[in-house]
Amino acid sequence: MKRPRYVLAVDQGTTSTRAVLLDSKLNVRGVGQQEFTQHFPRAGLVEHDLGEIWDTTEKVIAKALKAAKAKGHDVAAIGITNQRETTGLWTNAGKPVARAIVWQDRRTSDLCAELKARGEEARVKQTTGLVLDPYFSGTKVKWLLDHVKNARAQAERGDLKFGTIDTWLVFKMTGGAVHVTDVSNASRTLLMNLETLAWDDAMLSLFDVPRAVLPRIAASSELYGLTRGLKSLPDGIPVSGIAGDQQAALFGQACFEPGESKCTYGTGAFLLMNVGTTPVRSKAGLLSTVAWKVGDTTTYALEGSAFIAGAAVQWLRDGLGLIKHASDVEALAKTVKSSGAVVFVPALAGLGAPHWRPDARGLFAGIDRSTTKGHLARAVLEGIALQIQDLAEAMKLDSGRAIPAFKVDGGAVKNDLLMQYQADVLNTNVVRPKNVESTSLGAAFLAGLAVGFWKSPEDIRRAWKADAVFKPKMGAEARAQHLGKWRDAVKRA
Ligand code: ADP
């Protein structure tokens, strides 16, 4: 029999589900993508229908196979990457007891505030590497257990299963046979001990979550189970890779050495640094998280995010009407040689790490009568890069490491001006890969490694190719000036 030719990555995101078929040289051979319904029952609440998520998964797998003119038997392994923290609860028979609560949902804000007021945050941070925020799964599963009729009693009897989206997909793919999550997803729940990689009794008691609902915590690359009863694939295909989306992107960018970092520039921006095999506690309000576990080795990461990145460009387009398409921003910014005295702080939704000022607001400073829309556009791009520079600086301090490689992906990395300025203010090479589907690549690698489709991460490093390297060109004095005017503006924001 012919050896299967492809690895299938399923990227279950916040607004759409994607399936990507990759060959052993990392060429994308087929893609399927489908959006699904966002439910907003009230302000601040966001829910997803788990049944619909599974339907879209089956459909996009079929689409990707069709696009590649492939058959199910061509698939050697399946890797899953997912929107993180989104929380579901279903019966042992696989029937969701409610819609999943999405990571963006703020319904547990009061509970988090109450726990903080009781002085619980320090031990939560120490145990989990996270902060007390509704973003993470812990308070969301408590909410479901407390509010869905009979849920707590059923859970205590062992009749319910909790899971993030990875867990739901593996459960469905294996015909309900396997209840598992990987360390990267488990590290976003507030329930896992960052050092032992096991569910933590003190956290389970703090968040009132019975052990009986929890999945097994597994490595990010191992044989979890085999497909059974799918419409889109034959039985018996290994499901063998799982990682949360940001961690999968770090893996897909081949950031295997400590210090290597990747930044994803989408609506917001996510910066992750590989910090090696022991967790690094942040003094600057960054998150400490598991990157992945492959074989017996667990790799940790520091994570910082900016709420607004590409969204600032959307605001230039939709709020100010200065451009028609997001991609027009580069040409507009190039109508001026520099931003002059103009600075933009993209705190349109508050400032995250390392400032943590939810009350901060956006700001243009240094405007005079010579300021043109070109200056404004240029300052917006610079502001996006400067806030990433702040995060990178905090990471260097926390980890005591330099950043040898700063790899980028996401919708905004097509912008050469932004990437060059990022290299200039970081004073580090910024590397844009040929294949910017880092998230899918990461999930596929993890799955392929587990079944011997690729032998070692070195195969991945060899196959991984850069599209462009942006080298820092700015002199030390100019850099100091840019950082100085940025810091002044941040203070005022
Ligand atoms: P997400 O996954 O968060 O939806 P994407 O990775 O698809 O985001 O990136 C879309 C974002 O990138 C949008 O916010 C858009 O404004 C921004 N963007 C797209 N093209 C450019 C460009 N050429 N320059 C700057 N920003 C861009």
Side-chain angles (χ1 to χ4, degrees):
M1 209 177 94
K2 266 196 322 187
R3 279 191 63 210
R5 299 176 289 164
Y6 303 126
V7 172
L8 172 67
V10 171
D11 177 359
Q12 205 303 301
T14 308
T15 55
S16 73
T17 307
R18 287 163 62 75
V20 179
L21 272 179
L22 290 162
D23 65 20
S24 62
K25 302 260 158 46
L26 308 187
N27 299 307
V28 174
R29 291 310 187 94
V31 178
Q33 176 159 2
Q34 193 171 325
E35 295 195 358
F36 58 91
T37 317
Q38 308 289 316
H39 296 272
F40 303 108
R42 269 193 286 125
L45 307 197
V46 190
E47 299 175 348
H48 288 163
D49 182 324
L50 286 170
E52 188 182 2
I53 283 185
W54 175 243
D55 282 346
T56 62
T57 304
E58 286 258 52
K59 285 188 183 134
V60 296
I61 292 173
K63 279 187 193 166
L65 286 170
K66 192 165 174 212
K69 298 196 173 67
K71 296 269 178 306
H73 288 290
D74 293 326
V75 177
I78 305 170
I80 291 168
T81 178
N82 55 291
Q83 51 165 324
R84 303 177 301 173
E85 297 103 7
T86 297
T87 301
L89 196 61
W90 57 92
T91 65
N92 290 342
K95 186 174 182 314
V97 302
R99 287 196 199 121
I101 305 183
V102 179
W103 57 272
Q104 297 150 325
D105 189 292
R106 309 299 294 175
R107 77 184 65 185
T108 59
S109 295
D110 289 350
L111 174 61
C112 289
E114 188 193 312
L115 292 172
K116 261 191 213 167
R118 269 170 37 199
E120 299 287 3
E121 190 159 59
R123 71 176 174 126
V124 168
K125 257 189 196 161
Q126 182 55 35
T127 309
T128 67
L130 308 175
V131 294
L132 270 172
D133 191 277
Y135 182 33
F136 305 106
S137 318
T139 57
K140 296 187 195 299
V141 61
K142 175 175 165 45
W143 192 94
L144 287 172
L145 291 168
D146 289 343
H147 291 83
V148 175
K149 200 164 161 235
N150 293 333
R152 190 166 284 284
Q154 278 179 288
E156 269 153 17
R157 282 200 305 270
D159 292 345
L160 295 185
K161 291 181 163 34
F162 150 74
T164 41
I165 297 294
D166 55 311
T167 303
W168 171 244
L169 294 185
V170 176
F171 184 85
K172 295 299 284 182
M173 281 179 183
T174 58
V178 178
H179 188 214
V180 73
T181 187
D182 90 302
V183 284
S184 75
N185 277 292
S187 80
R188 317 294 297 182
T189 58
L190 285 171
L191 304 175
M192 189 189 79
N193 184 307
L194 199 56
E195 294 188 22
T196 64
L197 306 179
W199 301 120
D200 186 277
D201 281 323
M203 293 300 112
L204 296 184
S205 130
L206 184 67
F207 296 106
D208 224 354
V209 177
R211 236 173 216 283
V213 298
L214 300 173
R216 175 175 79 87
I217 302 177
S220 313
S221 177
E222 67 172 60
L223 180 60
Y224 309 106
L226 302 173
T227 52
R228 202 179 76 200
L230 272 66
K231 293 192 198 106
S232 52
L233 287 170
D235 288 357
I237 296 176
V239 183
S240 55
I242 306 179
D245 52 9
Q246 297 306 322
Q247 286 95 330
L250 189 69
F251 202 79
Q253 289 271 28
C255 291
F256 302 139
E257 297 300 321
E260 290 185 332
S261 306
K262 72 92 203 173
C263 189
T264 302
Y265 302 75
T267 309
F270 283 90
L271 175 57
L272 270 78
M273 175 194 267
N274 177 328
V275 297
T277 51
T278 41
V280 168
R281 308 293 171 169
S282 175
K283 290 179 198 70
L286 303 169
L287 302 176
S288 186
T289 201
V290 178
W292 51 75
K293 183 176 175 191
V294 176
D296 293 326
T297 308
T298 303
T299 300
Y300 291 88
L302 275 173
E303 173 174 324
S305 49
F307 307 127
I308 301 285
V313 175
Q314 288 168 11
W315 172 71
L316 282 182
R317 184 192 62 196
D318 306 335
L320 297 188
L322 286 187
I323 47 176
K324 228 169 137 188
H325 306 286
S327 54
D328 299 339
V329 68
E330 188 167 357
L332 179 58
K334 279 184 173 157
T335 59
V336 294
K337 276 212 169 57
S338 85
S339 53
V342 183
V343 199
F344 175 68
V345 181
L348 308 183
L351 277 172
H355 308 288
W356 290 114
R357 288 295 300 264
D359 53 330
R361 283 299 172 265
L363 171 80
F364 271 114
I367 294 170
D368 66 26
R369 291 188 65 174
S370 72
T371 301
T372 65
K373 52 189 178 179
H375 292 107
L376 299 186
R378 199 161 185 124
V380 163
L381 294 177
E382 292 180 355
I384 294 171
L386 285 160
Q387 63 178 350
I388 299 301
Q389 147 71 16
D390 277 352
L391 286 175
E393 212 45 55
M395 279 188 188
K396 284 195 252 176
L397 280 177
D398 276 340
S399 67
R401 293 183 188 279
I403 298 182
F406 192 93
K407 295 177 171 174
V408 297
D409 52 55
V413 302
K414 286 174 289 211
N415 191 315
D416 289 350
L417 188 71
L418 173 63
M419 294 299 109
Q420 181 57 48
Y421 188 76
Q422 188 70 81
D424 285 338
V425 291
L426 286 169
N427 201 21
T428 302
N429 286 351
V430 166
V431 184
R432 183 172 63 199
K434 264 220 161 67
N435 183 343
V436 291
E437 302 234 21
S438 315
T439 314
S440 297
L441 279 187
F445 288 159
L446 289 165
L449 278 174
V451 299
F453 190 82
W454 291 291
K455 297 291 170 255
S456 76
E458 268 321 295
D459 286 352
I460 293 160
R461 205 188 266 290
R462 268 194 296 276
W464 193 93
K465 287 192 184 60
D467 158 57
V469 179
F470 299 87
K471 298 199 170 87
K473 287 188 192 145
M474 195 182 268
E477 204 173 308
R479 181 178 309 112
Q481 243 172 30
H482 277 258
L483 294 179
K485 99 184 166 175
W486 163 254
R487 284 186 192 124
D488 281 348
V490 168
K491 263 186 226 141
R492 279 185 269 165

